[in-house]
Amino acid sequence: MSQATSRAAEFDEVEEIIEGLKQPEKMISPKYFYDDRGSQLFEAITALPEYYPTETELGIMHDNIDEIVELIGRQASLIEFGSGSSLKTRVLLEHAKDLAVYVPVDISEDHLLEAASDLRADFPALEILPVVADFTQPFALPSPSIMPLRNVVYFPGSTIGNFTEDAALDLLRVMYQEAGQDGALLIGADLQKDPEIIERAYNDSAGVTAEFNLNMLRHLNREFGSDFDLDAFTHSAEYNEDEDRIELRLVSGKFQRVSIGAEDFSLDKNEAILTEYSHKYTLEGFAEMAAAAGFEVRHVWTDKDEMFSVQYCVRK
Ligand code: AVJ
């Protein structure tokens, strides 16, 4: 990005943050978790004994990789939404049969290009065409040198769970569009289970999730010049059984005034800022949502305890 466009993007982001802080319940998008330190903290979360999703999803991928790559087929274009440097992608790239191209899509150019160059070193025969884009909006696909026979959108990690039902539907519709004719979607979705297990996963005993949550405000203070008093906040993660989701908040232990951009906010003592939803699905519920976006679930893989699912969906 040029300096001018990145400054314009920064202005939009400040506007978006201010918008969230004006809501009846103050909220900040979970995308602001992921500065460098936030990405490192998330990596640390994935290795916590309480945080079951990553290990479970990786196990499902390993156990079923032959079937998965068979469904993806030959000469597919694998388009990863919100790509990280994730192990799950590597499992796919190692086993997939002559992919035409791998297209990682991410809003953060630095991380995207770094991850792409690491993958190029390990998969020298694979064409890798990163796209810098906000994947919630339609974006243009690059032209690979080998014509793909099918597009397969990959969205692991149950990141879909960050979105409310309406927003998740919009996103699935973007995926439907990017998948195109004969296209498919390979997606990770966390499943409903004993709420105690879920709450433990987001309230780890080492306090890494609390630090990850709090780091969002540190990120905003540095990047956007806000002045949240970090020491006053505590981490909260509670399962909402009516909405089938874990809800992360930062609770201010004192009254404080915060300025950001040209605006000023006050937080009452014990007032919270909502920082993340992580929705948990039933297989039926997920299939219904996918169907509303035009997808039919073709295959579902789960672990033996049905904690997590990986699903292969095709355009209806
Ligand atoms: C990256 C959105 C899948 O919802 O479990 C982990 C993020 N937040 N611990 C999740 C997260 C707190 C994670 N996702």
Side-chain angles (χ1 to χ4, degrees), residues 34 42 45 51 157-159 162 202 209 212 248 276 278 280:
Y34 302 97
F42 180 67
I45 286 173
Y51 191 76
S158 202
T159 304
N162 272 176
Y202 295 83
T209 310
F212 171 74
L248 262 65
E276 183 172 47
S278 187
K280 309 303 171 189

Side-chain angles (χ1 to χ4, degrees), residues 2 10 24 27 54 64 122 127 145 153 160 168 188 224 235 238 261 274 279 286:
S2 76
E10 212 169 278
M27 55 180 77
T54 308
N64 302 286
D122 294 338
E127 187 169 22
S145 40
V153 171
I160 188 76
F224 304 111
H235 163 75
E238 285 179 8
L274 176 71
H279 288 82
F286 190 86

